[in-house]
Amino acid sequence: MNERMALFPGSFDLLTNGHVDIIKRSAKLFDKLVVGIFTNTTKKPLFTSQEKKKIIENIVKPLEKVKVQIFEKKLTVDIAKKMKVYYIIRSIRNTRDYEYERNIARLNQEISQTVETVFLLADSSFEHLSSGTLKEIYLFGGDISSYVPKEVFSILDKKRRK
Amino acid sequence: MNERMALFPGSFDLLTNGHVDIIKRSAKLFDKLVVGIFTNTTKKPLFTSQEKKKIIENIVKPLEKVKVQIFEKKLTVDIAKKMKVYYIIRSIRNTRDYEYERNIARLNQEISQTVETVFLLADSSFEHLSSGTLKEIYLFGGDISSYVPKEVFSILDKKRRK
Amino acid sequence: MNERMALFPGSFDLLTNGHVDIIKRSAKLFDKLVVGIFTNTTKKPLFTSQEKKKIIENIVKPLEKVKVQIFEKKLTVDIAKKMKVYYIIRSIRNTRDYEYERNIARLNQEISQTVETVFLLADSSFEHLSSGTLKEIYLFGGDISSYVPKEVFSILDKKRRK
Amino acid sequence: MNERMALFPGSFDLLTNGHVDIIKRSAKLFDKLVVGIFTNTTKKPLFTSQEKKKIIENIVKPLEKVKVQIFEKKLTVDIAKKMKVYYIIRSIRNTRDYEYERNIARLNQEISQTVETVFLLADSSFEHLSSGTLKEIYLFGGDISSYVPKEVFSILDKKRRK
Amino acid sequence: MNERMALFPGSFDLLTNGHVDIIKRSAKLFDKLVVGIFTNTTKKPLFTSQEKKKIIENIVKPLEKVKVQIFEKKLTVDIAKKMKVYYIIRSIRNTRDYEYERNIARLNQEISQTVETVFLLADSSFEHLSSGTLKEIYLFGGDISSYVPKEVFSILDKKRRK
Amino acid sequence: MNERMALFPGSFDLLTNGHVDIIKRSAKLFDKLVVGIFTNTTKKPLFTSQEKKKIIENIVKPLEKVKVQIFEKKLTVDIAKKMKVYYIIRSIRNTRDYEYERNIARLNQEISQTVETVFLLADSSFEHLSSGTLKEIYLFGGDISSYVPKEVFSILDKKRRK
C-alpha cells in the first residue's frame, strides 16, 4: 500500500490546544502529516510565519511523522497538488465551521480533481476555542494559558513586554 | 394583469455564475427585472460600478426583460419604492445566508410596507461559490475561470497585467 | 406573456394563519394559484381531505385566482408536470425548514427538469407556528383560536364534542 | 436570600429597542442589574462611551434596580469577578448568535469558575435588528426611528448635522 | 422583593445528568423551583410518572428550594398561570434545540402574556446527551451508567431483569 | 505500519448512490473497510438485512478491501471494540446531520475511549438524498432509479410486483 500523506493547512495565528489535538489525531490516521502554515490575507497576523513554525515544530518533535512547512501566499490546493497529497485535514467546531468548510472542500475538490478533505470533529474540550477570541482575551489582559501550548504563551509574553 | 417587476440587488463585486443563474431564473418569473448594482460600504470593491454594469449588460443582452442600473449609496428599499417595484429577488446558499436574508427581508418589508422578498435557492452547482472566496483564490493565482462569466475573467486579466 | 401558474402543496392538517398568509401573498405573485392538498404518509390526519378542501375554499373565496384541489397519494412533482405548472411555492420559518425544503426542491427540479420552487419567508407573526405543535396544544385543552382561521376552529370544536 | 445581581455587557454602539427590551426583562428577573458598556476592539464606534452611558441612563431612569457603568478595555469576566456578580445576561436572536454566545459563555464559565450566563430570547419584534445593519441603513439615509429609542435618534441627528 | 419562582418542565423519561445539572443551576437562580413532570403525547414512556417523581425527589432532597410535581395531560403554560409562576426554565444543547425552544417560548409568552422563558446552556459535559439516544444505547446493552444518576440506573436494572 | 481498518455503520434501508460514494471514498483512505449493517429500532425496514448485504456485496465486489457484515441489535461502538477497529466513517450532508453525528461521535469516543469518527462530506450530487425521502417518492410511484444503485432498484421492483 502506498504511503498515505495528509496536509493540515491553517494560519495558526495563535495556535490553540485545539489545533494541537487535531495534529495528534491526524498523525495517527496518516503515514505522514504536513502542517502547512498559510497566509491569511484578511487579518494582520500576531506571529510571524517563522515564529509559528518554531512553535509547532517544538510541539510535534515527538511525532516523527509530522513535518511543518511555510507556504506564503499560496493556495492550499496548489500546494496539495504539487506535493501529491490527496488528503486535506480540517476540523469542525460548530455549524458555521461546517458550512464554511463545505464550500472550501468542494472548491478544492473541483479545482484539483484529486483532493479529498477529511474532517475530524473538534474535541469537546476545545470546541469553544477560536484564535480570534483568545487573541482578544489576551489583549484585554485575560489569562489564556490553559487554552494555548506553553510555547505560544512564552512568545506572547515576550511580545507583551516589548 | 399589471406588469410584474422585480429588483435583484447586489454589490456584484465579482459576478459569479451563481449570480447569472439567479438573473436568468428570475427573468422567467417576472415581466421585467432590474439588476441593481448597490454600494457595499464595508468592503473596498475590485470592480468599479461602471465595469460591473458593462459586464452584466453584456451577459443579459439576450434577455430583453432585464435592465441593469447603478444605485450608488442608496438603500435597496428606497429604490424599490421609488421605482414602484414590489418584489425583491434574493438567493440562499446555506443557513447563514438564510438567517441574514431573513433579517433584511423583514426590515425591508417593515420600512416599505409594500416590498416582498422572493427567494430562489442557489442551484446546487453554484451553492459553494462566494465572491469573497473567489477573489481570494484569484489573488493567490488560482484559476477561477470555471466559476465566473468570461466577461469578468477578461477584465480581471487586464487588471492583473497592470 | 403566458399565464403564470403556481402550486402550493401541503398536507394542511390544521391549516394555520401562517398557511393563509402564504396563500394570499402567493396569489399576488402569480396569475393563478392551486392550493394542493396532498397526503402525508407518516402521520394520521386529524381532518379528512374533504374537510381541508372546504376550509380552504371558504377562506380563499374572495381570491378569484386561487383554486383548491385534492391529490391523494400523488407526488407533488408529478402533479406539477401533469398540470404544466412550473412554479411550486414553499415557505421557510427557520433553518430546519430551509434544509428540508432545499432537498425537496432540488429533487423536484431534477425529477421534473422544469419545476422551480419559489420561497417566501414566513411572516414574523407566524414564524413560530407549526400544525403539529398547535394540534398538541389543542389536544391538551389550550386555546389556539388566535393561530388558526375560524373555519378550522369551528370544525375542531365539533370534532371535540363528539 | 442574598441579593441577586446580574451584568448585561455589550458595546451598545447604536442601542436598539431590542437592547432596551432585554434590559427591562432582565431587571424583573434580578434584584440589581448593571448595564456594562464595554469596548469592542474590532469596530470603530459611532458613539462615545459617555454618550452611550447618557442614553441608557435616560432610558432606565424609571427602573431603580438598573445602573449603567463604563468598562473601557476590560474583560467582561474580570469585571464580573471584581463586582462579585454571578450572572451575565445575554440575548439570542438566531442560530448564529447562539453558537457565538455558547463559546463566550463557556469561556467565561471556565475562566471565572463562578459566572453563569443566563439567556433571554430576543422578542420576536426585535429579532431582526442588529446595530450594524441599522447603522448602515442610517448612513444611507434610511429612517430607523422605529427601531431605536428616541434618545439615540436625537444624538444621531445632531451628529449628522455636524 | 417578591419570591421568585420558576418551573422546569419536561417529560424526563430517562432523567440524564444533564437534567440534574440544569435543576441545580436553576435552583441557585430562583427562590423556588418546581420540576414539572409532563406527559409527552408522541412517545410511549419507559418510566411511569410516579417512578420519575421518586427518582427526581431522591436527587433534589438536599435542595430545599426544589419541589417535584406531576402534571398529567396538562399544558405547561396553563400550569404556570395557575401556579402564578412567571419563569419557565429550559436548556439548549444545539441549534436544533434553540429553534424548537424559540417557538415554544414564544407561544407560551403569547398565550399567557406573563410567562418568560429563561435559558441556560447545557454544560459542555452534557451537551451530547439526549434521553432518546441513551434509551437506545441501553436497549442494545450499552453501559449508560456514567450519563444518568444512579437512581435511574437501579430502576432500569430492575426493569431489565423482569 | 499497522493495518488501518474502518467501520462504516448504517441501516442502509434503501442504499443510495450517496452511500456507495462514501464507501468508495472510504475504501481509498483505509486498508480495510467493513460496511456494517445495523438495526435501526425506530423504523420498520423495507429490506431484510440479508437483502441489504447481498446488494452491498454486489456493488463492492470490485473493491477487495471492503467487507460487508450484519450486526443485528448491536451497538456500533461495541462492534468496533470487539473488532479492534479504531475508525468509524460517517458522512455529513447538512447542519442537521452535523449536530446529530457530533453527539453520536462523542458518545462513541467516551464509551470506547479508542474510537475516532472520521467524517467525509457528502458529494454535492448526493447531498439532497435521504433514504426516507426516496422511499416516500418510490411509494407514491416516483422514479428513483437515478438515485439508487440498479441492484436496489431491481429488488424494489420485485417487491412492488408482489
Side-chain angles (χ1 to χ4, degrees):
Chain A
M1 154 106 249
N2 285 338
E3 205 187 48
R4 242 163 315 205
M5 194 153 93
L7 175 63
F8 179 33
S11 65
F12 304 111
D13 196 45
L14 198 63
L15 186 86
T16 69
N17 290 339
H19 292 131
V20 175
D21 179 58
I22 295 294
I23 292 171
K24 288 182 181 164
R25 287 156 63 198
S26 305
K28 283 192 199 150
L29 185 55
F30 291 95
D31 298 318
K32 201 172 158 188
L33 178 72
V34 178
V35 178
I37 299 165
F38 286 79
T39 319
N40 188 322
T41 45
T42 55
K43 296 177 214 151
K44 226 198 114 199
L46 194 60
F47 293 81
T48 68
S49 294
Q50 289 303 335
E51 286 171 332
K52 294 176 189 176
K53 187 163 183 268
K54 212 175 291 177
I55 289 169
I56 306 178
E57 276 179 340
N58 244 321
I59 290 164
V60 303
K61 219 181 288 169
L63 305 167
E64 272 176 62
K65 295 162 157 194
V66 185
K67 295 271 164 298
V68 188
Q69 260 181 278
I70 296 170
F71 304 104
E72 302 271 21
K73 302 200 175 230
K74 293 276 184 287
L75 272 185
T76 309
V77 77
D78 288 345
I79 294 301
K81 282 196 87 168
K82 197 178 279 177
M83 298 174 75
K84 296 196 175 156
V85 169
Y86 302 124
Y87 294 104
I88 286 176
I89 289 282
R90 294 294 292 161
S91 132
I92 301 180
R93 290 166 302 181
N94 49 45
T95 70
R96 211 179 148 187
D97 272 7
Y98 161 67
E99 292 200 330
Y100 176 79
E101 295 294 341
R102 178 180 59 178
N103 293 348
I104 302 297
R106 191 172 159 199
L107 279 168
N108 284 344
Q109 205 283 325
E110 287 177 356
I111 290 174
S112 69
Q113 296 294 324
T114 53
V115 168
E116 164 94 74
T117 305
V118 169
F119 290 92
L120 300 182
L121 299 195
D123 185 273
S124 69
S125 21
F126 308 124
E127 225 174 17
H128 58 319
L129 303 187
S130 83
S131 297
T133 304
L134 291 179
K135 276 192 260 185
E136 199 168 316
I137 294 178
Y138 174 77
L139 289 172
F140 280 168
D143 176 9
I144 60 171
S145 60
S146 46
Y147 299 119
V148 298
K150 64 177 190 305
E151 288 83 352
V152 171
F153 200 65
S154 68
I155 295 193
L156 266 180
D157 235 38
K158 274 183 221 158
K159 279 183 192 284
R160 185 186 267 157
R161 265 177 263 141
K162 278 186 207 168
Chain B
M1 155 106 246
N2 284 339
E3 205 187 48
R4 240 163 317 205
M5 193 153 92
L7 175 63
F8 179 34
S11 64
F12 303 111
D13 195 45
L14 197 63
L15 186 86
T16 70
N17 290 339
H19 292 131
V20 175
D21 180 57
I22 295 294
I23 292 172
K24 288 183 181 165
R25 287 158 62 198
S26 303
K28 283 191 200 152
L29 185 55
F30 290 94
D31 298 318
K32 200 170 158 189
L33 179 72
V34 177
V35 178
I37 299 165
F38 286 78
T39 319
N40 187 323
T41 45
T42 54
K43 297 178 212 148
K44 225 199 113 198
L46 194 60
F47 293 82
T48 66
S49 293
Q50 290 302 334
E51 286 171 332
K52 294 176 190 177
K53 187 163 184 266
K54 212 175 290 177
I55 289 169
I56 305 179
E57 276 180 341
N58 245 320
I59 289 164
V60 303
K61 218 181 288 168
L63 306 167
E64 272 176 61
K65 296 162 157 192
V66 185
K67 294 271 163 302
V68 188
Q69 257 181 280
I70 297 170
F71 304 104
E72 303 270 22
K73 303 200 175 229
K74 293 277 184 286
L75 271 186
T76 308
V77 76
D78 288 344
I79 294 300
K81 282 196 86 168
K82 196 178 281 176
M83 297 174 73
K84 293 192 177 161
V85 169
Y86 301 124
Y87 294 103
I88 286 176
I89 288 281
R90 294 295 291 162
S91 133
I92 300 179
R93 289 165 304 179
N94 49 46
T95 70
R96 212 179 147 188
D97 272 7
Y98 160 67
E99 292 200 330
Y100 176 80
E101 296 292 342
R102 179 180 56 179
N103 293 348
I104 302 298
R106 191 173 158 197
L107 279 169
N108 284 343
Q109 206 281 325
E110 288 178 355
I111 290 174
S112 68
Q113 295 295 324
T114 53
V115 169
E116 164 95 73
T117 305
V118 169
F119 290 92
L120 300 183
L121 298 195
D123 184 275
S124 69
S125 21
F126 307 123
E127 224 175 18
H128 58 320
L129 303 187
S130 84
S131 297
T133 305
L134 291 178
K135 277 192 260 184
E136 199 167 317
I137 294 178
Y138 174 77
L139 287 173
F140 280 169
D143 176 8
I144 61 171
S145 59
S146 45
Y147 299 119
V148 296
K150 62 176 192 305
E151 288 83 353
V152 171
F153 200 64
S154 69
I155 295 193
L156 267 179
D157 235 39
K158 272 183 221 157
K159 280 183 191 284
R160 186 187 266 155
R161 266 179 262 141
K162 280 186 207 167
Chain C
M1 155 108 245
N2 285 338
E3 204 186 51
R4 241 164 315 205
M5 192 153 95
L7 175 64
F8 178 35
S11 64
F12 303 111
D13 195 45
L14 196 61
L15 186 86
T16 70
N17 290 339
H19 292 131
V20 175
D21 180 56
I22 295 294
I23 292 171
K24 288 182 182 165
R25 287 157 62 197
S26 304
K28 283 193 200 151
L29 185 55
F30 290 94
D31 298 317
K32 200 171 159 189
L33 179 72
V34 177
V35 179
I37 298 165
F38 286 79
T39 319
N40 187 323
T41 46
T42 55
K43 296 177 214 149
K44 226 198 114 197
L46 194 60
F47 293 82
T48 67
S49 294
Q50 290 303 334
E51 286 172 332
K52 294 176 191 178
K53 187 163 183 267
K54 212 175 292 177
I55 289 170
I56 305 178
E57 277 180 341
N58 245 320
I59 289 165
V60 302
K61 218 181 290 169
L63 304 167
E64 271 177 62
K65 295 161 155 195
V66 185
K67 295 270 162 302
V68 188
Q69 259 181 280
I70 296 170
F71 304 103
E72 302 270 21
K73 303 198 175 230
K74 293 278 184 284
L75 272 186
T76 309
V77 76
D78 288 345
I79 295 301
K81 282 196 86 167
K82 196 177 279 175
M83 297 174 75
K84 295 194 177 158
V85 168
Y86 301 124
Y87 294 103
I88 287 176
I89 288 281
R90 294 294 292 161
S91 131
I92 301 179
R93 290 165 302 181
N94 49 45
T95 71
R96 212 178 147 188
D97 272 8
Y98 160 68
E99 292 201 330
Y100 176 79
E101 295 293 342
R102 177 180 58 177
N103 292 348
I104 301 297
R106 190 172 159 198
L107 279 168
N108 284 344
Q109 205 283 324
E110 288 178 356
I111 291 173
S112 68
Q113 296 295 324
T114 53
V115 168
E116 164 94 74
T117 306
V118 169
F119 290 92
L120 300 182
L121 298 194
D123 185 275
S124 67
S125 21
F126 307 123
E127 225 174 17
H128 58 319
L129 303 187
S130 84
S131 297
T133 305
L134 292 178
K135 277 193 259 185
E136 200 168 316
I137 294 177
Y138 174 78
L139 289 172
F140 280 168
D143 175 9
I144 60 170
S145 59
S146 46
Y147 299 120
V148 298
K150 62 177 193 305
E151 288 84 352
V152 171
F153 200 65
S154 69
I155 296 194
L156 267 180
D157 235 38
K158 275 183 219 156
K159 281 183 191 285
R160 186 187 266 155
R161 264 176 263 140
K162 280 187 204 166
Chain D
M1 154 106 247
N2 285 339
E3 204 186 50
R4 241 163 316 205
M5 192 154 93
L7 175 63
F8 179 34
S11 65
F12 303 111
D13 195 44
L14 198 62
L15 185 87
T16 70
N17 290 339
H19 293 131
V20 176
D21 180 56
I22 295 294
I23 293 171
K24 287 183 182 164
R25 289 157 61 198
S26 304
K28 283 192 200 151
L29 185 54
F30 290 94
D31 298 317
K32 198 171 159 190
L33 178 73
V34 177
V35 179
I37 298 166
F38 286 78
T39 318
N40 187 322
T41 45
T42 55
K43 296 177 213 150
K44 226 198 114 199
L46 194 60
F47 293 81
T48 66
S49 293
Q50 290 303 334
E51 286 171 332
K52 294 175 190 179
K53 187 163 183 266
K54 213 174 291 177
I55 289 169
I56 305 178
E57 277 179 340
N58 245 320
I59 290 165
V60 303
K61 218 179 290 169
L63 305 166
E64 271 175 63
K65 294 162 157 194
V66 185
K67 294 271 163 301
V68 189
Q69 257 181 281
I70 296 171
F71 305 104
E72 303 270 22
K73 303 197 176 233
K74 293 277 185 286
L75 272 186
T76 309
V77 76
D78 288 344
I79 294 301
K81 282 196 85 167
K82 196 178 280 176
M83 299 174 73
K84 294 195 177 157
V85 169
Y86 302 124
Y87 294 103
I88 286 176
I89 288 282
R90 294 295 292 162
S91 133
I92 302 180
R93 290 165 302 181
N94 49 45
T95 71
R96 211 178 147 188
D97 272 7
Y98 161 67
E99 292 200 331
Y100 176 79
E101 295 293 343
R102 177 179 58 178
N103 292 347
I104 301 297
R106 189 172 159 199
L107 279 169
N108 284 343
Q109 205 283 325
E110 287 178 356
I111 290 174
S112 68
Q113 296 295 325
T114 52
V115 169
E116 164 94 73
T117 306
V118 169
F119 290 92
L120 300 182
L121 298 195
D123 184 275
S124 67
S125 22
F126 307 124
E127 226 176 15
H128 58 318
L129 303 187
S130 83
S131 297
T133 305
L134 292 179
K135 277 192 258 185
E136 200 169 314
I137 294 178
Y138 173 77
L139 288 172
F140 280 169
D143 175 9
I144 60 171
S145 59
S146 45
Y147 299 119
V148 297
K150 63 176 193 304
E151 287 83 353
V152 171
F153 200 64
S154 69
I155 296 195
L156 266 179
D157 236 38
K158 273 184 221 158
K159 280 182 190 284
R160 186 187 264 155
R161 265 178 262 142
K162 279 187 205 167
Chain E
M1 152 110 247
N2 284 338
E3 204 187 50
R4 242 164 314 206
M5 192 154 93
L7 175 63
F8 178 35
S11 65
F12 304 110
D13 194 45
L14 197 60
L15 185 86
T16 70
N17 290 339
H19 293 130
V20 175
D21 179 57
I22 295 294
I23 293 171
K24 287 183 182 165
R25 288 156 62 197
S26 305
K28 282 192 200 151
L29 185 55
F30 290 94
D31 297 319
K32 199 172 160 188
L33 178 72
V34 177
V35 179
I37 299 165
F38 286 78
T39 320
N40 187 322
T41 46
T42 56
K43 297 177 213 149
K44 224 197 114 198
L46 194 59
F47 292 82
T48 67
S49 293
Q50 290 302 334
E51 285 171 332
K52 294 176 190 178
K53 186 162 184 266
K54 212 174 290 177
I55 289 170
I56 304 179
E57 276 179 341
N58 244 319
I59 290 165
V60 303
K61 218 179 291 168
L63 305 167
E64 271 176 62
K65 296 162 157 192
V66 186
K67 295 271 163 300
V68 188
Q69 257 182 280
I70 296 171
F71 305 104
E72 302 270 22
K73 302 198 176 232
K74 292 278 184 286
L75 272 186
T76 309
V77 77
D78 288 345
I79 294 301
K81 283 195 87 167
K82 196 178 281 175
M83 297 174 75
K84 295 195 177 159
V85 169
Y86 302 123
Y87 294 102
I88 286 176
I89 289 281
R90 293 294 291 162
S91 131
I92 301 180
R93 290 164 303 180
N94 49 46
T95 71
R96 211 179 149 187
D97 272 8
Y98 161 67
E99 292 199 331
Y100 175 79
E101 295 293 342
R102 178 180 57 177
N103 293 348
I104 301 299
R106 189 171 160 199
L107 279 168
N108 284 343
Q109 205 282 324
E110 288 177 356
I111 290 174
S112 68
Q113 296 295 324
T114 52
V115 169
E116 165 94 73
T117 305
V118 169
F119 290 92
L120 300 182
L121 299 194
D123 184 275
S124 68
S125 22
F126 308 123
E127 224 175 18
H128 58 318
L129 303 187
S130 83
S131 296
T133 304
L134 292 178
K135 276 191 259 183
E136 199 168 317
I137 293 178
Y138 174 78
L139 289 173
F140 281 169
D143 175 9
I144 60 170
S145 59
S146 44
Y147 300 119
V148 297
K150 62 176 194 305
E151 287 84 352
V152 171
F153 200 65
S154 69
I155 296 194
L156 266 179
D157 235 38
K158 273 183 221 158
K159 282 182 189 284
R160 186 186 266 156
R161 264 177 263 142
K162 278 186 205 167
Chain F
M1 157 106 247
N2 285 339
E3 205 186 48
R4 242 163 314 205
M5 193 154 93
L7 175 63
F8 178 34
S11 65
F12 304 111
D13 195 45
L14 196 63
L15 186 86
T16 70
N17 291 339
H19 293 130
V20 175
D21 180 57
I22 295 294
I23 292 171
K24 288 182 180 164
R25 288 157 61 197
S26 304
K28 283 192 199 150
L29 185 55
F30 291 93
D31 298 318
K32 200 171 159 188
L33 179 72
V34 177
V35 179
I37 299 165
F38 286 79
T39 320
N40 187 323
T41 45
T42 55
K43 297 178 213 149
K44 225 198 114 198
L46 193 60
F47 293 82
T48 67
S49 293
Q50 289 302 334
E51 285 171 333
K52 294 175 191 178
K53 186 163 184 267
K54 212 174 290 175
I55 289 169
I56 305 178
E57 277 180 340
N58 244 319
I59 289 164
V60 304
K61 218 180 289 168
L63 305 167
E64 272 176 62
K65 295 160 155 194
V66 185
K67 294 272 162 302
V68 189
Q69 258 181 281
I70 296 170
F71 303 105
E72 303 270 21
K73 302 197 176 232
K74 292 279 184 285
L75 272 186
T76 309
V77 76
D78 287 344
I79 295 300
K81 282 197 86 169
K82 197 178 278 175
M83 298 174 74
K84 295 195 177 156
V85 169
Y86 302 123
Y87 294 103
I88 286 176
I89 289 281
R90 294 294 292 163
S91 133
I92 302 179
R93 290 165 303 181
N94 49 46
T95 70
R96 210 178 150 189
D97 273 8
Y98 161 68
E99 292 199 331
Y100 176 80
E101 295 292 342
R102 178 179 58 177
N103 293 348
I104 302 297
R106 190 172 159 197
L107 280 169
N108 284 343
Q109 206 282 325
E110 288 177 355
I111 290 174
S112 68
Q113 295 295 322
T114 54
V115 169
E116 165 93 73
T117 305
V118 169
F119 290 93
L120 299 181
L121 298 194
D123 185 274
S124 68
S125 21
F126 307 124
E127 224 175 17
H128 58 319
L129 303 186
S130 84
S131 297
T133 305
L134 291 178
K135 276 192 259 185
E136 199 168 316
I137 294 178
Y138 174 78
L139 288 173
F140 280 170
D143 175 9
I144 61 170
S145 60
S146 46
Y147 299 119
V148 297
K150 62 177 193 307
E151 288 83 353
V152 171
F153 200 64
S154 68
I155 296 193
L156 266 180
D157 235 38
K158 273 182 219 158
K159 281 183 191 283
R160 185 186 267 157
R161 265 178 262 143
K162 278 186 207 169

